[in-house]
Amino acid sequence: MTDPTPALSARRPSRRLGRQGLVQLLLLALLLALPVAADLTGHPYYVTLASRLTLIAMAAVGLNLALGYGGMISFGHAAYFGLGGYVAGIGAFHAFDMTPFLGGIPGSDNLLVLWPIAMLACGLLALAIGAVSLRTSGVYFIMITLAFAQMVYYFANSWPTYGGQDGLPIYLRNQLPGLDTQEPLTFFLICFVGLVLAMALTSRLMGSRFGAALTMARLNDTRLATAGISPTPIRLVAFVISAMITGLAGALYADLNGFVSPSMLSWHLSGELMVIVILGGVGRLYGPLVGAALFIGMETLLGGLTEYWQLFLGLTLLGVVLFARQGVMGWLAGREPHA
Amino acid sequence: MPEAVLALEGLHKRFGALAATDDVSLTLRPGEIHALIGPNGAGKSTLIAQIAGSLRPDAGRVLLGGVDVTGESVAARARRGLGRSFQVSSLAEPLPAIRNVMIAVQALAGHSFRFWKPVARDPRLVEPAMAALERMGLGHRAATPVAELSHGERRALEVACALALRPRVLLLDEPMAGLGPEGSAHLTELLERLKAEVPILLIEHDMEAVFRLAERISVLVAGRIIAHGDGDTIRRDPQVRDAYLGD
Ligand SMILES: Nc1ncnc2c1ncn2[C@@H]1O[C@H](COP(=O)(O)OP(=O)(O)OP(=O)(O)O)[C@@H](O)[C@H]1O
Ligand SMILES: [Mg+2]
């Protein structure tokens, strides 16, 4: 054998794009081109719709790291999505009111301040929730993550300072120095960059040593422990990073809507994110984007015709679960070799 | 006598009314293969599980290199140099063979909280993994998903994974099971060479291999060690002939 490491040559990603690369490139190009075209032709509504799709996809990218790559079926990711949203909302609230937060911290409407805080807050919350939840597995893990998220939901519901169940308006979108975030296309581009970075991070992470350990934790944690790597810390770190990505998406989402309310924390949203990840393809890098596009697409197209559009969503989900184990992305781009 | 790399002291484990491990003490010394034989259900795998840390004994101690590890996790014991193979192979089925070995190399090389550098082409992981595979005659199967490997190849891969850890102690639970005469002979040869590097606690039903390889043999029946000694002693022991060798 001329190549001493056939494992490498056999699995070396070719310089050519291949079917999967082509599909991925096309998806990104479409996502970028449609809102630009809508903006040029004077349809800001569609730009905002694209921003929404992008942010839901980004939240699902976060969930996919835990659920798809890590095998941790979290039914509570709305907690991070909503918490991120509340960080944006509360920051704006105090900046607008010129009152301090918790008696001492000044408000801020600078996104460069709010985003790290949102991610930090979500990371800490996920650390606490993950540390407890990861003692369990299977159905118990699903239920305990749900229970924690519901606690956050009821907490937000009953905190009158920030609107309780009525939610909290953000009168002016938070600011990014040098950019006009009120401008729909500018805001879309910010969201787009966020999504691309989140996916790039996921891809890089999964190719690293950490990713190798996380993959093994999902596929066979006995093998991982037998090699001398404790599975739980690996899972916990992945869970925290996952929550931080979803939390950042939530912060952007609140700014997009100019509004944050407990509905961003509700279990419906956790469920929708799961549906999106499964639709798109569990553990597929572009799965969340495809899933979010399907979800928003059906909601927009069928939602106008019938209240029961989710019935069609359910049927699609059923089809995917039964016939396309790697989701729509697997169907579009072929099976993943290592999945 | 050199100090034991592995020592079990008075281990007890009950499953309800069943005494799966009943006051077991044994040692493993540098350079030797210590074979553990016994009929089905004698408690051999249960004993391995307690040594590896996946099962807590009710009483007794496990010492690795003189250190009491009874309270330590599976991963912590592996980091101390305990390598093992499973009776029913435990591998990541969808991954290529080499990925299963690389995770052991990665563990040996240090912690896994490295988030950036890709592993796929990292020679510090790939080369030692390749070496372990080649040693087990699996070099040409490195890129093949485990799910496509034959039974014998999986057994060999398990041993390769254990070897990649550069273990100080090796626990092998029926590595020859289902290998066929040729595979058994090959593995026997390999273990014979290996034992100078790393002492092995070997569970095996293939008596020919056991008598050829083992310096010492312990016979486990119903959770209890009923006989202990070199091959000749065991062959002649009436109790063993009665309970296990069956003649
Ligand atoms: N987790 C468990 N709970 C209850 N009983 C168990 C458990 N694990 C093993 N046993 C029982 O303990 C006894 C010893 O099992 P063990 O697997 O250790 O036997 P063994 O000597 O490895 O047998 P074999 O040669 O068939 O592999 C058996 O009777 C088995 O049914
Ligand atoms: Mg057994």
Side-chain angles (χ1 to χ4, degrees):
Chain A
M1 194 163 291
T2 46
D3 189 335
T5 53
L8 295 185
S9 53
R11 296 288 165 185
R12 179 180 295 155
S14 65
R15 286 260 163 256
R16 286 176 46 244
L17 259 180
R19 176 166 157 208
Q20 165 147 313
L22 219 63
V23 169
Q24 292 178 342
L25 208 66
L26 203 71
L27 286 169
L28 278 188
L30 266 176
L31 179 60
L32 191 59
L34 290 180
V36 169
D39 189 67
L40 289 175
T41 53
H43 292 92
Y45 165 78
Y46 288 105
V47 182
T48 301
L49 190 67
S51 300
R52 193 160 153 252
L53 191 166
T54 306
L55 293 179
I56 296 289
M58 182 174 166
V61 167
L63 177 61
N64 196 25
L65 182 60
L67 193 159
Y69 293 103
M72 294 170 275
I73 306 178
S74 166
F75 194 2
H77 259 49
Y80 315 111
F81 193 68
L83 179 59
Y86 268 98
V87 169
I90 291 171
F93 174 82
H94 288 290
F96 189 78
D97 251 23
M98 310 240 266
T99 51
F101 172 67
L102 291 180
I105 309 159
S108 169
D109 64 355
N110 184 344
L111 286 170
L112 293 181
V113 174
L114 292 173
W115 287 341
I117 294 175
M119 292 177 74
L120 193 71
C122 289
L124 288 174
L125 181 64
L127 191 65
I129 292 179
V132 177
S133 308
L134 284 171
R135 291 162 177 270
T136 67
S137 61
V139 122
Y140 298 100
F141 183 83
I142 301 176
M143 286 300 130
I144 201 166
T145 48
L146 172 65
F148 275 119
Q150 287 302 94
M151 282 167 59
V152 178
Y153 172 83
Y154 285 114
F155 182 77
N157 239 316
S158 54
W159 199 2
T161 321
Y162 301 116
Q165 58 182 345
D166 297 330
L168 188 63
I170 301 176
Y171 295 112
L172 267 182
R173 247 179 221 163
N174 292 305
Q175 299 301 310
L176 202 58
L179 292 174
D180 179 9
T181 51
Q182 287 299 130
E183 180 61 44
L185 189 63
T186 307
F187 195 77
F188 166 77
L189 289 172
I190 294 170
C191 300
F192 182 78
V193 170
L195 173 67
V196 170
L197 285 180
M199 291 202 297
L201 177 77
T202 303
S203 161
R204 193 81 203 194
L205 219 56
M206 290 318 295
S208 74
R209 289 189 181 200
F210 176 76
L214 185 63
T215 303
M216 196 54 87
R218 168 173 54 96
L219 292 173
N220 188 340
D221 58 0
T222 304
R223 169 58 48 205
L224 188 66
T226 302
I229 302 172
S230 305
T232 304
I234 298 282
R235 288 200 180 103
L236 185 56
V237 170
F239 191 73
V240 166
I241 298 173
S242 151
M244 289 167 83
I245 296 173
T246 300
L248 182 59
L252 282 158
Y253 196 76
D255 260 321
L256 175 73
N257 296 331
F259 183 63
V260 51
S261 76
S263 70
M264 269 181 81
L265 294 159
S266 81
W267 65 269
H268 289 106
L269 202 124
S270 296
E272 284 169 7
L273 290 177
M274 286 172 80
V275 166
I276 286 169
V277 168
I278 295 166
L279 266 184
V282 173
R284 299 293 296 241
L285 188 57
Y286 279 66
L289 175 55
V290 173
L294 269 176
F295 186 88
I296 302 281
M298 290 180 108
E299 184 191 55
T300 311
L301 297 176
L302 300 175
L305 302 176
T306 163
E307 276 180 72
Y308 302 113
W309 70 273
Q310 296 223 354
L311 180 66
F312 295 95
L313 183 75
L315 288 174
T316 314
L317 185 65
L318 204 65
V320 163
V321 170
L322 289 178
F323 302 113
R325 293 301 301 275
Q326 292 199 4
V328 174
M329 196 57 202
W331 176 66
L332 283 175
R335 286 185 70 86
E336 193 103 294
H338 291 179
Chain B
M1 192 186 292
E3 201 204 338
V5 283
L6 171 71
L8 311 184
E9 293 180 352
L11 284 184
H12 286 266
K13 181 73 194 179
R14 300 191 73 87
F15 295 120
L18 177 79
T21 304
D22 188 3
D23 196 22
V24 170
S25 298
L26 61 79
T27 60
L28 183 66
R29 301 191 201 112
E32 77 167 345
I33 289 182
H34 187 156
L36 189 64
I37 62 172
N40 291 113
K44 304 179 295 292
S45 296
T46 302
L47 193 62
I48 293 284
Q50 290 169 78
I51 302 171
S54 51
L55 197 64
R56 291 258 174 276
D58 298 333
R61 304 199 302 162
V62 176
L63 294 111
L64 258 180
V67 182
D68 185 348
V69 298
T70 320
E72 288 187 1
S73 69
V74 172
R77 292 182 205 200
R79 285 194 293 271
R80 285 186 187 279
L82 189 72
R84 71 171 292 194
S85 77
F86 294 82
Q87 182 172 0
V88 178
S89 66
S90 180
L91 298 157
E93 298 279 326
L95 295 187
I98 192 167
R99 284 297 176 123
N100 283 270
V101 188
M102 275 165 70
I103 204 75
V105 180
Q106 171 176 328
L108 184 69
H111 67 73
S112 288
F113 292 102
R114 307 218 165 154
F115 301 93
W116 206 246
K117 202 167 178 268
V119 293
R121 314 191 37 74
D122 184 346
R124 281 172 307 171
L125 297 181
V126 174
E127 277 161 20
M130 239 4 243
L133 282 173
E134 258 151 24
R135 191 150 186 201
M136 295 307 298
L138 285 175
H140 63 295
R141 299 292 262 166
T144 309
V146 172
E148 291 167 26
L149 296 181
S150 73
H151 174 75
E153 287 171 328
R154 281 160 190 248
R155 310 256 48 166
L157 179 56
E158 284 243 338
V159 180
C161 290
L163 286 182
L165 278 177
R166 304 210 192 178
R168 301 198 308 162
V169 175
L170 205 50
L171 312 174
L172 302 180
D173 196 349
E174 301 194 22
M176 323 238 172
L179 279 196
E182 203 175 312
S184 283
H186 181 244
L187 191 57
T188 304
E189 233 169 79
L190 206 122
L191 295 183
E192 193 147 47
R193 269 180 278 135
L194 198 60
K195 71 180 173 188
E197 258 173 70
V198 47
I200 300 169
L201 183 64
L202 175 70
I203 296 181
E204 194 43 70
H205 282 300
D206 181 339
M207 293 316 295
E208 197 185 321
V210 166
F211 285 127
R212 174 156 161 213
L213 284 170
E215 271 69 27
R216 293 190 292 155
I217 300 172
S218 293
V219 185
L220 196 70
V221 176
R224 203 165 239 296
I225 291 187
I226 59 158
H228 170 94
D230 61 20
D232 288 336
T233 317
I234 296 301
R235 251 190 283 248
R236 273 188 250 107
D237 190 305
Q239 234 184 322
V240 176
R241 300 178 75 106
D242 195 40
Y244 186 56
L245 296 177
D247 52 19

